[in-house]
């Protein structure tokens, strides 16, 4: 049992250890439960008494000594490892930051919010209605009976359902009815919602688009009130005076009915593809609420009158941001969207 030789081997092994895992292996080899020195200490019993005392002393001294240099070496290696890690994790706080791309609102959303804000300042409540409707709300209650040719004004997407005939709403007017069922006049309500039409698409027509529907019902409402409110709205939306013209028109749920055109802001009235070369853009369908429609809602047309209108939100957006093709609004094309 050559303790001296063991000591020398252990010292040289400890010195050779390059990192903590290596040092651990050396520790295991000599000082762990199965380590060489541990085994020596355990086998002392087998030795004659005198020899046992001598070897025991030497071995215990060596154990204390080795523990000490293990600790020192361990502390050194630990420090070294930390320095390496620090170097790896080093952050250059002076380097320029990476720009995080922030999302932004779609032009239609920007326009919708602006419209709602303007009408809210004029006392209109902003409400919502379902995109899937039944025939009653989309047609009948709006004075468009079954088999009436007026239904052809709205090419409809019908849903394949069982007995109940459901459809994708072809305008936002059904929300007027839903609102009147639950609210008593005086009424000032506004809906901005999506609608669907089974139509061919081109630069100014899409199969789904948005309308802003307004309804005002009170005791003494005339078309003059309507014209004033719409003029005020358009001026504020476009932040400049806007020329409009009212044309007589037909809607089954209003009488009289009119259509409101505004000068095309894309070509400044000169004529372009968006305004079909006329310089005017059809923007709003409107009229005085038909007495039948008031009756369906349980209101006496002798006491109450009102006006209703439906504005194309997409067209408003196109005019505001000078967009010459409605299809861009639904393309999801980032080259387009990133401009807003
Ligand atoms: N709902 C009509 C349409 O989609 C527009 C409109 C609304 C007309 C309200 C008159 C009154 O064409």
């Amino acid at each position: 049992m050559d303790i001296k030789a063991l000591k020398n081997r252990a010292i040289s092994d400890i010195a050779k250890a390059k990192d903590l895992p290596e040092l651990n292996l050396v520790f295991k080899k000599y000082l762990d439960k199965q380590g060489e020195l541990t085994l020596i200490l355990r086998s002392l019993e087998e030795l004659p008494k005198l020899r046992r005392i001598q070897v025991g002393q030497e071995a215990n001294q060596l154990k204390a000594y080795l523990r000490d240099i293990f600790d020192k070496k361990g502390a050194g290696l630990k420090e070294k490892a930390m320095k390496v890690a620090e170097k790896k994790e080093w952050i250059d706080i002076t380097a320029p930051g990476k720009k995080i791309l922030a999302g932004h609102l779609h032009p239609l959303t920007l326009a919708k919010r602006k419209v709602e804000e303007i009408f809210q300042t004029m006392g209109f409540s902003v409400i919502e209605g379902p995109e899937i409707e039944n025939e009653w709300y989309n047609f009948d209650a709006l004075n468009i009976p079954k088999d009436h040719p007026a239904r052809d004004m709205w090419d409809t997407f019908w849903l394949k359902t069982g007995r109940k005939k459901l459809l994708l709403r072809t305008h936002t007017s059904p929300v007027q009815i839903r609102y009147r069922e639950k609210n008593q006049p005086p009424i000032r309500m506004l809906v901005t919602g999506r609608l669907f039409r089974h139509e061919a698409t081109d630069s100014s027509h899409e199969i789904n688009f948005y309308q802003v529907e307004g309804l005002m019902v009170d005791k003494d409402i005339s078309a003059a009130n309507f014209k004033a409110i719409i003029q005020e709205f358009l001026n504020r939306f476009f932040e400049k005076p806007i020329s409009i013209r009212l044309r007589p028109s037909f809607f089954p749920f209003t009488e009289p009915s009119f259509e409101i055109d505004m000068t095309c802001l894309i070509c400044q009235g000169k004529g372009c593809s968006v305004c079909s070369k006329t310089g005017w853009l059809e923007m709003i369908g409107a009229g005085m609420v038909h007495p039948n429609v008031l009756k369906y809602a349980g209101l006496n047309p002798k006491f109450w009158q009102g006006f209703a209108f439906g504005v194309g939100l997409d067209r408003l957006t196109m005019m505001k941001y000078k967009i010459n093709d409605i299809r861009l609004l639904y393309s999801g094309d980032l080259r387009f969207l990133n401009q807003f």
Side-chain angles (χ1 to χ4, degrees):
M1 213 169 289
D2 192 342
I3 292 200
K4 215 168 186 172
L6 181 78
K7 180 178 176 181
N8 287 338
R9 267 195 297 126
I11 290 173
S12 111
D13 280 354
I14 293 172
K16 273 191 241 152
K18 285 193 297 293
D19 52 26
L20 285 171
E22 271 183 41
L23 188 67
N24 267 339
L25 287 180
V26 180
F27 183 86
K28 253 193 179 153
K29 187 171 166 197
Y30 295 101
L31 291 181
D32 229 8
K33 269 186 208 150
Q34 295 297 319
E36 287 183 37
L37 194 57
T38 317
L39 293 180
I40 289 174
L41 284 163
R42 263 200 223 144
S43 61
L44 285 178
E45 278 167 36
E46 292 155 22
L47 297 177
K49 198 174 174 194
L50 270 179
R51 182 101 173 100
R52 192 193 312 162
I53 294 171
Q54 192 207 343
V55 175
Q57 230 170 28
E58 277 177 37
N60 271 321
Q61 271 169 6
L62 178 59
K63 189 178 167 185
Y65 175 75
L66 287 182
R67 273 195 172 275
D68 194 42
I69 55 173
F70 262 116
D71 285 351
K72 284 194 183 123
K73 174 86 180 184
L77 286 177
K78 208 172 180 177
E79 204 171 298
K80 215 170 102 187
M82 262 162 66
K83 274 196 185 136
V84 171
E86 260 171 32
K87 238 188 198 157
K88 256 196 210 156
E89 284 166 18
W90 181 75
I91 298 168
D92 182 0
I93 54 164
T94 64
K98 275 189 199 143
K99 196 172 173 195
I100 295 170
L101 286 179
H104 58 84
L105 295 176
H106 190 279
L108 277 173
T109 311
L110 294 172
K112 174 179 172 349
R113 290 193 177 177
K114 179 96 187 159
V115 171
E116 290 174 351
E117 188 192 305
I118 296 170
F119 276 101
Q120 271 169 332
T121 66
M122 296 197 274
F124 284 73
S125 316
V126 174
I127 58 154
E128 283 182 352
E131 289 177 0
I132 294 177
E133 268 298 2
N134 59 34
E135 278 187 287
W136 168 256
Y137 287 109
N138 198 81
F139 293 123
D140 303 76
L142 286 162
N143 203 29
I144 322 172
K146 274 190 193 59
D147 307 320
H148 192 283
R151 284 203 182 188
D152 294 346
M153 287 168 74
W154 294 276
D155 288 306
T156 311
F157 284 113
W158 294 94
L159 298 183
K160 279 188 184 157
T161 44
R163 267 178 301 139
K164 237 170 124 197
K165 257 189 147 179
L166 294 178
L167 52 94
L168 297 177
R169 68 176 175 200
T170 59
H171 47 180
T172 40
S173 301
V175 191
Q176 282 187 33
I177 310 292
R178 289 181 177 276
Y179 190 79
R180 267 195 302 252
E181 279 175 351
K182 298 214 173 87
N183 297 275
Q184 287 304 311
I187 289 172
R188 282 185 219 188
M189 61 131 247
L190 192 85
V191 190
T192 20
R194 193 172 193 178
L195 53 115
F196 308 84
R197 290 192 193 166
H198 188 210
E199 281 181 353
T201 59
D202 61 29
S203 62
S204 50
H205 295 89
E206 251 296 357
I207 56 165
N208 75 88
F209 54 100
Y210 286 82
Q211 266 184 347
V212 182
E213 181 96 12
L215 172 71
M216 184 165 177
V217 178
D218 209 328
K219 284 206 169 114
D220 207 6
I221 302 287
S222 74
N225 298 119
F226 165 70
K227 193 177 173 236
I229 282 187
I230 278 304
Q231 184 72 65
E232 169 77 6
F233 159 66
L234 290 173
N235 292 352
R236 277 166 70 180
F237 183 79
F238 292 106
E239 290 162 1
K240 61 180 176 195
I242 296 293
S243 317
I244 58 170
R245 65 180 191 189
L246 267 71
R247 284 183 288 115
S249 183
F250 169 75
F251 295 103
F253 35 93
T254 45
E255 183 59 37
S257 304
F258 15 86
E259 222 132 348
I260 293 89
D261 300 339
M262 64 171 270
T263 348
C264 179
L265 296 181
I266 291 184
C267 58
Q268 302 301 335
K270 288 192 203 79
C272 65
S273 68
V274 175
C275 59
S276 312
K277 307 225 161 25
T278 59
W280 290 97
L281 203 73
E282 186 186 309
M283 201 56 115
I284 305 169
M288 303 307 290
V289 181
H290 195 289
N292 284 354
V293 178
L294 288 171
K295 271 188 228 152
Y296 291 144
L299 298 177
N300 186 340
K302 283 203 181 107
F303 297 124
W304 303 106
Q305 315 90 49
F307 62 77
F309 59 87
V311 194
L313 183 67
D314 304 68
R315 291 190 175 175
L316 283 175
T317 310
M318 289 165 75
M319 289 296 114
K320 182 147 178 100
Y321 298 112
K322 310 268 189 294
I323 298 165
N324 61 8
D325 195 322
I326 188 174
R327 290 166 294 194
L328 283 169
L329 293 172
Y330 302 94
S331 65
D333 189 334
L334 287 177
R335 289 169 302 179
F336 167 71
L337 291 174
N338 282 339
Q339 298 173 55
F340 295 90

